[in-house]
Amino acid sequence: MSIHISDNYIGYSNGGTLSPLFYGRYANQNNYFPLRNRIINGSFIVNQISGTSTGSNLTTRYFTIDRWWTLGTVGSKFSTQVVADGPTPTTVYYSSRRGGNIYPGTAINTCVEIKSLASTTLGATDSYTFGQNIEGRHIADMQFGTNTNLNYIMLSFWSKASQTGSYSVCLQNSAQNRRNHQLFTVGTANTWEYQELWFTVDQSGTWLNDINTGLRVVFNLGAGTSNRGTTAYNTWATTSTELASSSITSIHLVNTLNATLRLTGIQVELVQGGAQSRLMASPFETRGFQQELDLCKRYFQKSWAYGTDPGTQTTYGMRLHTDLQLSSVQHYQLWRWPVPMRAAPTVQVYGYASPGNAGYCYAWGNSISGLGDYTASTAGVSRYGAMFYMTASVYHTMTGYHFKADAEPT
């Protein structure tokens, strides 16, 4: 059994001919079936984007860890960082839904720590969130927006927080005009606890099942009064603002300086039919590091070596090309992405002398045109590759390019 990523499908193959899979047909028939966990990088084992660095939220959607974004009304109100922590397989932990203690069954060694950087007083329209956009093709079989079957979504994860009480999390469609929010409770501070939340599959609204965002999973870190609605929990509402309830007090992490929330083992899975009281999550689907990395590369790739933050000054990992030019001409290099991306990505090109500034490559030249960064760009960008070229015309014998390619769905 192996994971396959095609134009129209992400999932497992259990043998048989691969042609239907790669042509995007019969994806859920025969030997092909979706990943059980529709979340990618749910245990935060992959971090191409920032390595071990701490990233602070911006006022626009900003990725600090592969597949996971942060967003806040005001910047630098909370940070995210991957840390070595998680539930151990032989320890008993509390589960509120199961009304008792459970064993994880498998070790999860990494998590994200979300930390408040200030004691923020929330304005009425303020919101601070952490989440992931799941591609529409990855949730097409869940049948959102139809009246055919009553299916359920189970959201499960491990939490460890410095403050006890209720926290809110919600599911949204791409347009953010259909959403359903629920509470999870932290009973003991700074202790791993298991959370299981079931949601009915929304039978109304518009839900995308293409390469764009199909489903958003959003953890609320702070919601002003205008973002706290009156909709009952586990109810689909036609609203673009509700992140929490106005009638139930819930924790807003950014209210308290240095408050922390750790999350790991985040899983979204389909549960078909059955009594609601019996709905339980499956154990976290553990995938190998290389499998998880390849899944992440559908959405983000870089030239810097894994473990090296983009913007680091190094020639290691650069796309290099040697071509002795006897006159001043432009230089071109074709690069194919190791993993086909979700869509044609946004690509930024970097040199060596100023590795944090986009729009340059590095040229090793002769005595007429010396070493240094020269302006560079891309052409012919597709989900399969791109052409890098130096826009400045100089004599050179070799050029080098670093790059970041982002194809995350909005």
Side-chain angles (χ1 to χ4, degrees):
M1 182 182 296
S2 59
I3 290 178
H4 291 283
I5 307 172
S6 74
D7 285 357
N8 296 299
Y9 179 68
I10 306 172
Y12 287 114
S13 169
N14 200 27
T17 176
L18 293 178
S19 58
L21 175 65
F22 285 103
Y23 285 112
R25 301 192 299 271
Y26 319 126
N28 296 319
Q29 299 178 20
N30 302 323
N31 295 319
Y32 311 115
F33 49 97
L35 302 178
R36 177 160 54 80
N37 185 10
R38 312 308 168 90
I39 290 287
I40 295 174
N41 202 26
S43 59
F44 305 93
I45 62 172
V46 175
N47 194 4
Q48 302 178 89
I49 296 175
S50 60
T52 59
S53 301
T54 300
S56 300
N57 77 283
L58 302 180
T59 57
T60 55
R61 196 167 59 100
Y62 176 57
F63 290 82
T64 58
I65 303 165
D66 281 66
R67 303 275 21 245
W68 294 97
W69 50 258
T70 62
L71 180 62
T73 304
V74 179
S76 299
K77 292 297 185 179
F78 68 92
S79 65
T80 58
Q81 184 178 18
V82 174
V83 298
D85 188 17
T88 57
T90 57
T91 304
V92 177
Y93 298 96
Y94 182 71
S95 166
S96 58
R97 178 161 177 76
R98 303 190 186 210
N101 296 328
I102 67 166
Y103 289 97
T106 184
I108 304 177
N109 300 316
T110 52
C111 69
V112 61
E113 180 181 82
I114 307 169
K115 183 176 182 179
S116 175
L117 300 178
S119 297
T120 301
T121 300
L122 292 167
T125 60
D126 285 356
S127 65
Y128 296 89
T129 51
F130 174 79
Q132 182 173 136
N133 293 356
I134 302 175
E135 189 177 333
R137 284 176 176 165
H138 210 176
I139 54 99
D141 63 310
M142 294 181 174
Q143 299 181 302
F144 277 91
T146 71
N147 292 307
T148 55
N149 293 298
L150 181 60
N151 293 329
Y152 301 93
I153 301 299
M154 182 64 73
L155 169 63
S156 57
F157 54 93
W158 293 87
S159 65
K160 182 179 181 179
S162 61
Q163 300 177 94
T164 59
S166 298
Y167 294 73
S168 61
V169 59
C170 74
L171 304 184
Q172 306 170 350
N173 65 350
S174 178
Q176 300 182 65
N177 56 17
R178 299 289 295 175
R179 68 176 62 201
N180 184 328
H181 58 279
Q182 291 202 48
L183 293 175
F184 66 94
T185 301
V186 172
T188 304
N190 300 313
T191 301
W192 285 110
E193 297 174 334
Y194 190 54
Q195 311 290 349
E196 294 172 280
L197 304 174
W198 62 269
F199 298 77
T200 56
V201 170
D202 189 13
Q203 296 181 310
S204 300
T206 300
W207 296 83
L208 304 183
N209 59 9
D210 54 17
I211 64 170
N212 298 299
T213 296
L215 178 68
R216 285 185 170 90
V217 178
V218 183
F219 289 88
N220 170 38
L221 307 177
T225 55
S226 296
N227 291 311
R228 304 176 198 174
T230 58
T231 304
Y233 281 99
N234 201 8
T235 302
W236 288 101
T238 307
T239 173
S240 61
T241 58
E242 285 190 19
L243 293 171
S245 173
S246 59
S247 59
I248 300 176
T249 301
S250 58
I251 299 294
H252 300 279
L253 189 81
V254 296
N255 285 162
T256 305
L257 175 64
N258 294 326
T260 59
L261 171 63
R262 291 186 174 187
L263 301 169
T264 195
I266 303 174
Q267 179 160 279
V268 168
E269 59 184 314
L270 173 65
V271 182
Q272 295 177 305
Q276 296 174 359
S277 61
R278 298 178 182 177
L279 295 178
M280 299 295 175
S282 301
F284 178 69
E285 183 181 35
T286 301
R287 298 187 282 255
F289 175 80
Q290 187 61 51
Q291 290 179 327
E292 208 74 45
L293 178 61
D294 286 346
L295 291 171
C296 289
K297 283 185 175 181
R298 180 173 170 85
Y299 306 94
F300 178 84
Q301 295 187 34
K302 65 176 184 178
S303 57
W304 285 271
Y306 188 86
T308 301
D309 290 356
T312 300
Q313 188 178 57
T314 178
T315 57
Y316 189 70
M318 264 188 163
R319 308 299 100 190
L320 300 176
H321 183 71
T322 301
D323 186 12
L324 178 61
Q325 299 291 343
L326 301 179
S327 60
S328 180
V329 296
Q330 289 182 329
H331 173 272
Y332 294 86
Q333 180 188 9
L334 177 64
W335 178 251
R336 186 177 181 87
W337 313 127
V339 173
M341 304 193 76
R342 179 194 64 88
T346 299
V347 183
Q348 294 179 301
V349 188
Y350 300 83
Y352 172 80
S354 301
N357 296 325
Y360 295 93
C361 73
Y362 194 77
W364 289 263
N366 58 23
S367 59
I368 297 175
S369 298
L371 301 174
D373 280 351
Y374 293 88
T375 56
S377 189
T378 56
V381 178
S382 76
R383 61 185 302 269
Y384 300 104
M387 181 80 76
F388 298 102
Y389 69 97
M390 189 184 343
T391 57
S393 299
V394 297
Y395 296 103
H396 60 275
T397 56
M398 185 166 67
T399 51
Y401 303 81
H402 272 304
F403 69 83
K404 293 193 301 186
D406 181 4
E408 280 286 349
T410 58

